[in-house]
């Protein structure tokens, strides 16, 4: 049976002091039986070590928001998978729509990064999702299928076992416009079908597919109740301990 995973993508928010405050509050709030639900926080690089130290003894896990595909070298400003592991990360978000839009990341690059992440021992949370104009043109499935096939190209069975997909319709990110549970469910089911075709149905059944895009305490329960939605990737609402806690509680079943 699949378990829900709720991850908080802090984006470019929270300095060290704010990290300490948020992590400490989450530790207290979420010191409950998570019943197999995984909870991950993904602070900026500068806060990873501190968060890792603070999270010792807690069930909350740590992830990063991006990484470079090379192990080391003259790549000014970049961070490798090995460095993330050493900082205490077990997960890394890859191919977020903001990385695709502002940093021109392609499916091919995201695929390369994901393979490197897995080889280093990280679980990638790979983001896909259509733009508003693509949804309006009725090509959501084509766009998402191309993204899924591209980012998972050449993935072995064991690579896929370590992978999480996040469906984040770009028009729902930071806009307050959430996909309806039915809209999200339809795309999640479609992603599972695509993965079933490219790999196996058994693997597709085990694949965790999170929903992201304006997940809030008041819509999380209905979204997470959909059969193919396995938790969420939360932006704005993860920056406050109380709202992230409420969202996590909606995922604990
Ligand atoms: P919001 O929850 O702020 O819409 O952001 C979603 C997101 O981008 C998570 O990665």
């Amino acid at each position: 049976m699949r378990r829900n995973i709720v991850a908080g993508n802090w984006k470019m928010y929270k300095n060290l002091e704010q990290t300490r405050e948020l992590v400490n509050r989450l530790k207290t709030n979420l010191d409950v039986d998570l019943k197999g639900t995984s909870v991950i926080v993904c602070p900026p690089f500068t806060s990873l070590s501190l968060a890792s130290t603070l999270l010792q003894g807690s069930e909350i896990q740590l992830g990063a928001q991006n990484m470079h595909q090379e192990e080391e070298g003259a790549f000014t400003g970049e961070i490798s998978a090995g460095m993330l592991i050493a900082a205490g990360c077990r997960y890394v978000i890859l191919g977020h729509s903001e990385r695709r839009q502002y940093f021109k990341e392609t499916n091919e690059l995201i695929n390369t990064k994901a393979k490197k992440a897995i080889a280093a021992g990280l679980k990638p949370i790979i983001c896909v999702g259509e733009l508003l104009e693509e949804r309006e043109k009725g090509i959501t499935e084509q766009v998402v299928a191309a993204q899924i096939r591209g980012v998972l190209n050449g993935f072995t069975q064991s690579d896929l076992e370590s992978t999480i997909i996040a469906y984040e319709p770009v028009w729902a990110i930071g806009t307050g416009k959430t996909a309806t549970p039915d809209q999200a469910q339809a795309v999640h089911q479609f992603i599972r079908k695509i993965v079933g075709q490219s790999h196996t149905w058994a693997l597709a059944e085990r694949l965790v597919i999170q929903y992201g895009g304006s997940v809030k305490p008041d819509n999380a329960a209905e979204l997470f109740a959909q059969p193919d939605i396995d938790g969420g990737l939360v932006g704005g609402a993860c920056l406050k301990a109380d709202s992230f806690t409420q969202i996590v509680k909606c995922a604990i079943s």
Side-chain angles (χ1 to χ4, degrees), residues 7-9 11 93 96-98 127 168 172-176 212-216 233-238:
N9 174 7
K11 306 195 180 182
I93 299 169
H96 190 279
S97 68
E98 289 148 18
C127 304
E168 298 205 311
I173 296 177
T175 58
S214 298
V215 176
K216 306 279 180 235
L233 181 55
V234 185
C238 81

